[in-house]
Amino acid sequence: MAKYRIAWLPGDGIGKDVAEAARIVLDRLDVDAEYIHGDIGWEFWRTEGEPLPKRTLDMMKETDCAFFAAITSKGRDVADAELLPELQGKGFVYRSPIVRMRQLLDLYICLRPCKAYPGNPLNYKDLIDLVVFRENTEGMYIGVEFPKVPEEFYAVKGTEKLPRDAAISLRAVTPGGSERIVRAAFEYAQKYGRKRVTAVHKANVLRQTDGVFMEAARKVAAEYPEIAFNNANIDAMGMWLLKDPYNYDVIVTTNLFGDIISDLCAQMVGGLGFGCSGNIGTDYAVFEPTHGSAPKYAGQYKVNPIATILAAKMMLDWLGETDKGAQLEAAVAEVIKEGKVRTYDMGGDSGTLEMAEAIAAKL
Ligand code: NAI
Ligand code: MG
């Protein structure tokens, strides 16, 4: 029996292209793993009314971790119209499979390393190397939304003037949820010799929710006196990151702000072709590139697989296969530096699998 059982979730669109590329390098590394395919994505919404079927979740629970590429999701109107006619009007509601995985499996850390590799023509300014810790289970993404203001809300002070047709979202921030993500950021800083943790918030406006977050952040920070701690407002942070990205080391923030900040950081190190992430809980994790299914490129083997390959590196590290993880990263860095094989986003015309083969050839 293989040492690791890995749930393999290519999804749809370019997800299938990049997952195939990742397997080329994992197979070359000879990871002692069994990869178990799981259904996920738009096709299963259309035909079953569930983009993350229960059989997939059940299978995941029998594995050590999961590797996920990308899926298509669409807005409410389109989603309902694309359901098979026999499923329409039966009460199926589209829910983001990724958000669900994070919540159901309590994958509270969204870890997004943003590291520039020398020679990448897409690098912003000089070599950036920072890490974003995004809270992954609460905040703005708890999924509690109302199409119009519920009557009982008008009893709450401050809502008297709300128009009745306002759609409402609730944001939940708990002391426990905040503490554990901030602690994860500090633990990471300590383990990898990072010097500073920056907590990002909007506590001057979102006084209650970000008040809770910052209180937890300060409390945890006090336990790590050797690591510098500071904080920034989310809006200012966008500005400072563009101006002086080298000032930041580890960034920790709530769900929505982390979603935005991590895309900004990913763009500074090459964009969607380079952004990788880990959704990590206490004993399970799902690794993925941050990009989506880019339908216009689906099946063309044209997009950059490096984001996905770096997600595989994160998975190897998390499994404890740190030597293999380091080898893989070194191979990626070498191919980028040589500049002979480049996908279209890097200004070249190499294909997805060609890039994967070039990386595998360095292993
Ligand atoms: P996207 O990330 O799929 O693609 C946007 C554009 O970025 C592409 O058209 C392409 O030009 C570029 N791009 C993306 N990945 C690339 C790669 N590996 N190499 C080179 N260029 C790359 O985002 P978009 O177009 O907003 O969404 C498409 C679909 O993906 C939607 O249905 C969306 O809901 C879904 N999505 C899924 C995610 C996931 O599976 N985690 C995340 C984001 C979007
Ligand atoms: Mg995002």
Side-chain angles (χ1 to χ4, degrees):
M1 205 171 111
K3 186 168 177 199
Y4 306 112
R5 289 168 54 84
I6 298 171
W8 194 256
L9 316 172
D12 55 52
I14 60 164
K16 292 183 173 156
D17 304 23
V18 293
E20 193 178 325
R23 272 298 279 285
I24 291 175
V25 298
L26 286 169
D27 289 348
R28 186 66 56 93
L29 278 166
D30 212 9
V31 181
D32 186 7
E34 182 189 351
Y35 301 93
I36 303 150
H37 178 92
D39 293 338
I40 186 170
W42 194 249
E43 182 187 341
F44 304 98
W45 161 253
R46 278 186 54 274
T47 55
E48 301 177 22
E50 179 48 84
L52 176 57
K54 181 173 178 298
R55 60 181 178 280
T56 303
L57 270 171
D58 289 344
M59 179 273 284
M60 290 170 75
K61 287 175 187 155
E62 305 289 311
T63 58
D64 296 296
C65 65
F67 194 80
F68 164 66
I71 52 148
T72 303
S73 58
K74 303 181 188 182
R76 196 176 56 179
D77 45 338
V78 182
D80 293 348
E82 287 195 14
L83 262 184
L84 288 186
E86 59 268 34
L87 298 182
Q88 286 182 16
K90 296 244 165 77
F92 290 106
V93 177
Y94 186 89
R95 291 170 297 177
S96 158
I98 308 155
V99 174
R100 273 188 79 219
M101 273 194 279
R102 289 168 178 159
Q103 288 171 350
L104 287 171
L105 303 167
D106 200 26
L107 308 175
Y108 67 95
I109 300 167
C110 185
L111 171 58
R112 294 196 172 176
C114 298
K115 178 172 173 180
Y117 292 94
N120 184 351
L122 299 172
N123 283 343
Y124 176 75
K125 296 189 178 182
D126 217 343
L127 294 181
I128 291 168
D129 182 10
L130 52 82
V131 182
V132 179
F133 276 77
R134 159 188 172 193
E135 202 293 321
N136 222 8
T137 53
E138 49 184 49
M140 205 70 231
Y141 292 0
I142 51 171
V144 184
E145 291 202 301
F146 303 91
K148 59 181 199 287
V149 186
E151 270 315 307
E152 55 272 29
F153 275 38
Y154 288 99
V156 179
K157 193 171 176 334
T159 57
E160 306 84 356
K161 294 203 191 99
L162 264 183
R164 306 248 148 190
D165 59 357
I168 300 267
S169 278
L170 292 188
R171 178 178 194 246
V173 177
T174 65
S178 303
E179 265 188 61
R180 66 179 182 171
I181 188 68
V182 177
R183 180 161 283 110
F186 274 96
E187 284 293 314
Y188 180 96
Q190 198 168 52
K191 184 167 173 191
Y192 294 101
R194 299 266 179 175
K195 303 276 180 282
R196 177 143 66 135
V197 173
T198 303
V200 177
H201 60 88
K202 188 76 184 178
N204 54 338
V205 177
L206 302 169
R207 305 184 81 82
Q208 298 301 338
T209 43
D210 268 337
V212 166
F213 179 70
M214 284 310 297
E215 196 175 312
R218 290 197 177 92
K219 182 175 143 193
V220 173
E223 297 171 26
Y224 299 84
E226 70 288 1
I227 296 164
F229 174 66
N230 67 343
N231 72 88
N233 278 315
I234 177 66
D235 46 348
M237 190 66 185
M239 205 173 65
W240 292 123
L241 271 171
L242 281 182
K243 183 164 188 289
D244 239 334
Y246 320 103
N247 270 348
Y248 301 96
D249 204 349
V250 176
I251 295 169
V252 63
T253 187
T254 49
N255 208 336
L256 172 62
F257 295 162
D259 196 2
I260 297 168
I261 277 291
S262 56
D263 274 17
L264 171 60
C265 293
Q267 189 57 46
M268 296 195 292
V269 299
L272 288 172
F274 295 84
C276 55
S277 74
N279 303 280
I280 303 170
T282 315
D283 47 30
Y284 197 78
V286 178
F287 297 90
E288 55 162 330
T290 59
H291 62 73
S293 63
K296 71 176 175 199
Y297 294 122
Q300 295 183 24
Y301 293 98
K302 189 176 164 162
V303 296
N304 193 344
I306 290 181
T308 313
I309 289 170
L310 289 173
K313 177 238 184 276
M314 292 179 77
M315 177 175 78
L316 292 169
D317 287 348
W318 185 81
L319 285 169
E321 298 286 340
T322 47
D323 286 347
K324 287 190 161 66
Q327 279 177 49
L328 182 51
E329 185 180 24
V332 169
E334 222 179 306
V335 169
I336 293 174
K337 195 170 185 176
E338 281 179 3
K340 284 191 272 192
V341 178
R342 284 179 172 173
T343 43
Y344 83 91
D345 55 319
M346 302 170 78
D349 58 9
S350 309
T352 306
L353 302 183
E354 205 180 325
M355 176 62 91
E357 293 289 359
I359 293 166
K362 304 284 182 198
L363 292 166

